[in-house]
Amino acid sequence: MWAKSPARARPRTTPPHFSCSSFKDVHHLFSDDSNPTPLPPHSNSRKTPSIFHRVRVVNSLLRAWSTRLPHAPPQISAAPSPPPISLPGTENSVVVYFTSLRVVRSTFEDCRAVRSILRGFRVSIDERDVSMDSKYVTELQGILGYHNKAKMSLPRVFIGGRYFGGAEEIRQLHEAGELKKLVDGLPAADSSVCGACGGYRFILCDECSGSHKCYSEKGGFRTCTACSENGLIRCPSCSCAPL
């Protein structure tokens, strides 16, 4: 039989005590002591931490967890909506700013389409042709707040004194059936054609006979202030002329 070789017995060391059975023992993992005191090898006793040390560790954990939580984006308050645009004195009619010139075909087609839609309801329409009187351009710029003529597109429609937009907005309202509700209750249009202007809503100026110039012996020629640059005035006999 083989003899058992004598083996040198190694001293058995007890691993450091570790316990994390409750939240109170979490401080063993996060202790920041620079020189921790080792426990005796064969000792089963443990050092009870102070209450201040526990509070400090818990606060550190809460701060660490709070930094990992997603933060809600700041609430941005919505800007107040601008007040509606209105045209005083036109609460009982439809006002259309348009152009009869064919210089820009798309603009001319939009103006003609909008006028055709509105005329189909047979209500009183005040059609203001900016190509016949430049004062309408200045008037519309003041209402809409445009200072650059290039940015202002036509047509522009007001119903019952309220601004409703241009050609696209009127088409959408018409297709949805909302345009009929808006014009209901407005005065009906006169089906007869005006005998003074023939439906063009403008006549020659009586002061200058359409020349836009007036002559006097003392002052010579001067610009007529009663008419537009085209020598025209609104027809006073037309039923659609503004009061």
Side-chain angles (χ1 to χ4, degrees):
M1 295 181 64
W2 295 88
K4 293 184 179 180
S5 59
R8 185 176 182 181
R10 297 182 180 180
R12 183 178 179 182
T13 59
T14 303
H17 181 74
F18 174 80
S19 175
C20 188
S21 59
S22 65
F23 186 73
K24 297 179 180 180
D25 297 326
V26 176
H27 66 279
H28 290 288
L29 299 177
F30 296 91
S31 178
D32 55 353
D33 295 338
S34 59
N35 295 317
T37 304
L39 296 175
H42 299 284
S43 175
N44 293 328
S45 63
R46 58 181 179 179
K47 183 179 179 181
T48 304
S50 64
I51 186 64
F52 299 103
H53 183 70
R54 294 179 181 178
V55 171
R56 182 167 55 83
V57 172
V58 171
N59 289 336
S60 300
L61 286 175
L62 293 177
R63 284 196 300 268
W65 290 339
S66 62
T67 56
R68 297 181 182 180
L69 295 177
H71 295 280
Q75 298 294 334
I76 301 176
S77 58
S81 59
I85 301 174
S86 60
L87 185 60
T90 61
E91 290 78 9
N92 295 322
S93 64
V94 177
V95 179
V96 182
Y97 290 87
F98 74 103
T99 179
S100 59
L101 297 179
R102 299 173 181 261
V103 177
V104 182
R105 185 175 181 83
S106 60
T107 301
F108 174 77
E109 294 295 338
D110 287 341
C111 293
R112 185 172 65 175
V114 167
R115 293 170 64 199
S116 177
I117 292 173
L118 295 173
R119 286 179 178 180
F121 295 105
R122 301 185 182 278
V123 295
S124 178
I125 303 175
D126 184 5
E127 297 182 347
R128 303 183 179 184
D129 191 349
V130 299
S131 63
M132 301 292 284
D133 192 346
S134 61
K135 292 181 181 178
Y136 289 145
V137 177
T138 305
E139 180 180 282
L140 186 58
Q141 286 178 337
I143 296 171
L144 300 181
Y146 290 126
H147 302 287
N148 188 355
K149 294 181 180 180
K151 295 183 179 180
M152 186 177 64
S153 60
L154 296 172
R156 296 293 172 175
V157 180
F158 294 80
I159 302 175
R162 293 175 55 196
Y163 174 66
F164 282 90
E168 186 63 28
E169 289 80 5
I170 297 302
R171 289 193 186 100
Q172 292 177 0
L173 290 172
H174 183 50
E175 294 173 357
E178 297 295 329
L179 187 58
K180 179 175 175 57
K181 299 178 183 179
L182 294 173
V183 299
D184 280 347
L186 296 180
D190 189 356
S191 58
S192 61
V193 179
C194 180
C197 66
Y200 289 100
R201 310 177 190 277
F202 286 92
I203 60 174
L204 291 176
C205 178
D206 295 333
E207 297 289 334
C208 63
S209 299
S211 64
H212 197 48
K213 296 289 183 180
C214 295
Y215 177 78
S216 63
E217 294 182 356
K218 294 182 179 180
F221 286 98
R222 61 178 178 84
T223 302
C224 180
T225 58
C227 62
S228 66
E229 66 276 9
N230 297 320
L232 302 174
I233 60 173
R234 289 296 299 261
C235 177
S237 303
C238 185
S239 60
C240 292
L243 299 178

